[in-house]
Amino acid sequence: LFSSSFSMRMLSHAEGLFKICTSRKRSRQRHNRANCKPSPSTMSATDSYGPNVAVLPLDDQMKFVMTRIRDEATSLQDFQFYADRIVRFVVEQGLSHVPYTDKTVLTPTKSKYQGKDYDPAEQLCAVSIVRAGESMEAAVRQCCLGIRFGKILIQRDEETAMPHLFYSKLPQDIHRRTVLLLDPMLATGGSAMKAIEVLIENGVAESAIVFLNIISCPEGIKNLTEKYPKVKIVTAEVDGHLNEKRYIIPGVGDFGDRYFGTDLFDYQQPRPSNN
């Protein structure tokens, strides 16, 4: 009897200590949640540039990918491989900005699942700004079955940096679609703004344009959002500034040249010949 009574008292005492510890732990958790701040690696810079600009948080994996495409020593094959990876990431994130409808499906367990639905073949159109924007087309095709594509060719005057429209070919019903505008670099914003101008002239609503971008800079974001505040911008990283030649710094150089393997550029020193 004594042993049983003693055991009961010990159990009651242990339960009391457990309740006290649990209460203190919950109090500390509430305090931490109230005072904690998100780490820089998980913060979005959206608030810095406006509600329609999404700067994607990059984990270590995506930082590694960005490091590889920025490295001047990266080979053509590696640049293409890692560029395709970050482009796919941006496209996947950008698709969260297209319109969806509610949809209920029946699973193989005969249970209902409340989800979302959209039809990329009927609702979307991707428009690439030739030539660098074409490097993003494969990722869009992988994510959006049956999507239609348009092309806009804009040449930037290297002296004035002013854009000039040379060619455009767009789906006839583009005015009723959400448009994914593709260009990996946003420097001055001139080419992107010219492309948006063409889209709007063809009946596309400004709010129906989602500009998918890999690297941008504050100057380009400012110029574009001031002229077209309803356009949504999705970018992987925002770099520091433009240099005197209007290249993004630190940047990647000319994305199109590096992706498609064309000639060297004036910001690189020619490599010594082996002959």
Side-chain angles (χ1 to χ4, degrees), residues 223-255:
N223 292 339
L224 197 153
T225 54
E226 285 183 351
K227 187 170 184 179
Y228 297 110
K230 296 180 181 179
V231 170
K232 301 174 186 68
I233 302 174
V234 180
T235 187
E237 285 191 314
V238 179
D239 279 10
H241 63 282
L242 297 176
N243 68 5
E244 65 280 359
K245 293 186 177 181
R246 298 182 178 87
Y247 287 122
I248 297 176
I249 302 300
V252 296
D254 189 302
F255 193 100

Side-chain angles (χ1 to χ4, degrees), residues 87-144:
V87 168
R88 174 67 180 260
F89 175 71
V90 171
V91 170
E92 294 276 13
Q93 298 299 314
L95 288 173
S96 65
H97 296 274
V98 306
Y100 292 84
T101 56
D102 294 331
K103 183 175 182 177
T104 302
V105 297
L106 200 63
T107 73
T109 63
K110 305 304 179 185
S111 305
K112 290 183 178 180
Y113 175 77
Q114 306 291 335
K116 295 290 182 180
D117 190 31
Y118 85 112
D119 184 353
E122 293 297 324
Q123 294 175 244
L124 300 184
C125 172
V127 175
S128 55
I129 300 177
V130 180
R131 168 183 68 151
E134 293 174 311
S135 65
M136 305 175 71
E137 291 180 359
V140 174
R141 287 193 180 93
Q142 292 166 1
C143 298
C144 306

Side-chain angles (χ1 to χ4, degrees), residues 77-90:
Q77 184 178 21
D78 282 354
F79 186 90
Q80 291 172 337
F81 176 80
Y82 290 106
D84 287 345
R85 284 192 60 188
I86 192 66
V87 168
R88 174 67 180 260
F89 175 71
V90 171

Side-chain angles (χ1 to χ4, degrees), residues 129-131 152-158 161-167 191 194:
I129 300 177
V130 180
R131 168 183 68 151
I152 296 178
L153 174 59
I154 298 170
Q155 292 285 349
R156 186 177 76 163
D157 188 300
E158 295 302 327
M162 295 299 295
H164 299 283
L165 175 66
F166 280 80
Y167 171 84
S191 296
K194 190 66 176 179

Side-chain angles (χ1 to χ4, degrees), residues 36-48 53-63 89 93 235-237:
C36 70
K37 295 180 181 179
S39 65
S41 62
T42 59
M43 289 178 64
S44 169
T46 299
D47 293 340
S48 302
V53 180
V55 183
L56 303 178
L58 302 183
D59 58 16
D60 287 347
Q61 165 186 205
M62 288 295 105
K63 272 291 188 180
F89 175 71
Q93 298 299 314
T235 187
E237 285 191 314

